[in-house]
């Protein structure tokens, strides 16, 4: 019965061109990767899909730091952080993050999590107690939405980047605790949330601003601290979540906020308390990652990303001008996430397959990840891409246009 039930659902997904599958990567994360496709054959593809924006995942210094961490600490952490899993390296990562963010968040303290998904569940569900109202941006990441589902708070959604809509909802609220929750860089669109306006509303309505900077950390700001540095914000009301599996090239996540907030998360966040701490070698390597991000290499890589973005946007705009009948649309993005909106599910998957035939991997993103009728190619750029790589993508898209 269960099997029939699930098979019917799988058949339905297939009929809507919504089936997903994993591919086996035979080599490390890099613009050129050997990937085994659905046909079982391994081939080298030029990848425009990872979130390793700074190209640190395969950086030799990080690989070396991981090996060194394994020499010092061995493999797993063995227990949750409050039991015995919290190593010297975990401690050092948290204190470096607190120090790094102190220009933007007074009295900052950081707390580490194994993944961004866990960190978002923790911060939204734990702070969103029965006395709270959560104001959640419509295009928020699934993990933030799941956090609101776990929270005891009232949940109100506000329209995408719409400060007036949010203002009206805040004004109508009688909740004692108000939490505004937003992605900093929207993961499927690449646009940046209007954080200065959101923070001004938080201040005007005695609310707190939870910012998921999964895609901004490492990429935005002079030191790579992300969106809060990019905008030069400063407030105790900022609660920033960052992931360490994207630009930082490793794994994990953090929440950095006023010390009272992180102290409370440590006492009450169930997925912090009841889950094994991340491997200490990963934390040890994160220290190398942080110094790369904050140093001259990070800066050069951020400059390279900006140049690649400009080249791609210029080329795409010219391509769309040459084909005015084509329904494709380039999303207005100033980040390494550069989506090309195609429309239908079958169309976007056919285009992704055609690109793969040409040796390029650009993932098609379909509902429910994006709204119906807005299926898209989600192009992501990495600092380790070259101008030639971008030109190859543009030429392949021109062939398919
Ligand atoms: C990737 C992502 C997460 C989850 O982070 P993981 O460390 O991959 O679990 C959370 N929020 C956003 C916006 C993301 O893109």
């Amino acid at each position: 019965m269960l099997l029939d039930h699930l098979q019917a659902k799988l058949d339905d997904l297939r009929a809507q061109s919504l089936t997903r599958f994993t591919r086996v990567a035979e080599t490390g994360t890099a613009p050129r990767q050997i990937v085994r496709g659905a046909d079982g054959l391994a081939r080298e593809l030029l990848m425009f899909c990872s979130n390793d924006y700074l190209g640190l995942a395969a950086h030799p210094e990080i690989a070396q730091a991981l090996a060194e961490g394994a020499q010092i600490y061995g493999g797993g952490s063995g227990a949750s952080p409050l039991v015995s899993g919290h190593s010297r390296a975990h401690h050092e990562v948290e204190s470096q993050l607190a120090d790094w963010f102190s220009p933007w968040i007074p009295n900052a303290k950081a707390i580490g999590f194994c993944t961004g998904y866990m960190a978002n569940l923790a911060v939204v569900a734990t702070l969103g107690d029965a006395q709270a109202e959560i104001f959640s941006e419509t295009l928020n990441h699934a993990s933030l939405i799941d956090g609101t589902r776990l929270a005891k708070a009232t949940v109100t959604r506000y329209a995408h980047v719409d400060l007036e809509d949010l203002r009206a909802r805040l004004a109508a609220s009688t909740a004692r605790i108000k939490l505004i929750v937003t992605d900093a860089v929207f993961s499927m669109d690449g646009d940046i949330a209007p954080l200065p306006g959101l923070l001004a509303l938080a201040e005007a309505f005695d609310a707190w601003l939870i910012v998921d900077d999964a895609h901004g950390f490492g990429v935005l700001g002079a030191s790579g601290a992300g969106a809060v540095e990019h905008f030069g914000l400063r407030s105790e009301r900022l609660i920033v979540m960052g992931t360490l599996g994207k630009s930082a090239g490793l794994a994990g996540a953090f929440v950095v906020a006023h010390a009272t907030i992180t102290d409370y998360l440590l006492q009450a966040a169930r997925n912090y308390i009841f889950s094994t701490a991340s491997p200490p070698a990963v934390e040890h390597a994160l220290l190398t990652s942080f110094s790369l991000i904050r140093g001259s290499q990070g800066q050069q890589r951020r400059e390279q990303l900006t140049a690649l973005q400009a080249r791609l946007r210029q080329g795409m705009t010219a391509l769309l001008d040459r084909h005015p009948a084509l329904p494709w649309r380039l999303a207005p993005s100033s980040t390494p996430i550069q989506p090309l909106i195609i429309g239908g599910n079958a169309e976007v998957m056919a285009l992704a397959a055609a690109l793969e035939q040409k040796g390029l991997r650009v993932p098609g993103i379909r509902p429910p990840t994006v709204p119906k009728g807005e299926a898209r190619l989600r192009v992501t750029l990495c600092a380790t891409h070259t101008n030639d790589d971008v030109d190859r993508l543009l030429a392949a898209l021109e062939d398919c246009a």
Side-chain angles (χ1 to χ4, degrees), residues 197-222:
L198 292 171
L199 184 58
L201 286 177
E203 268 155 11
F205 290 94
D206 189 20
W208 296 76
L209 181 57
I210 299 176
V211 176
D212 172 349
D213 207 8
H215 300 280
F217 179 71
V219 169
L220 299 176

Side-chain angles (χ1 to χ4, degrees), residues 131-135 154-156 165-180 205-207:
Q131 309 218 35
E133 181 166 355
I134 295 171
F135 300 84
T154 308
V155 180
T156 303
D165 184 41
L166 175 60
R167 176 193 297 281
R169 291 173 192 276
L170 284 165
S173 172
T174 54
R176 258 190 75 208
I177 310 290
K178 301 183 187 72
L179 304 168
I180 303 167
F205 290 94
D206 189 20

Side-chain angles (χ1 to χ4, degrees), residues 115-117 120 141 143 183 185 187 212 214-215 241 243 245-246 252-253:
T115 70
Y117 202 114
N120 276 343
H141 189 261
S143 54
D183 280 19
V185 175
S187 51
D212 172 349
H215 300 280
M241 192 291 295
T243 57
K246 290 172 178 155

Side-chain angles (χ1 to χ4, degrees), residues 16-18 327 341-351 364-367 371-377:
Q16 296 181 63
S17 303
L18 286 175
I341 299 166
I342 306 298
N345 301 340
E347 288 84 347
V348 80
M349 295 323 283
L351 183 56
I365 308 286
R366 291 159 288 177
K372 267 207 173 107
E374 292 187 25
R376 63 196 65 187
L377 287 180

Side-chain angles (χ1 to χ4, degrees), residues 63-79:
Q64 198 189 337
L66 257 179
E68 188 184 277
Q71 292 295 334
I72 300 169
Y73 298 103
S77 68

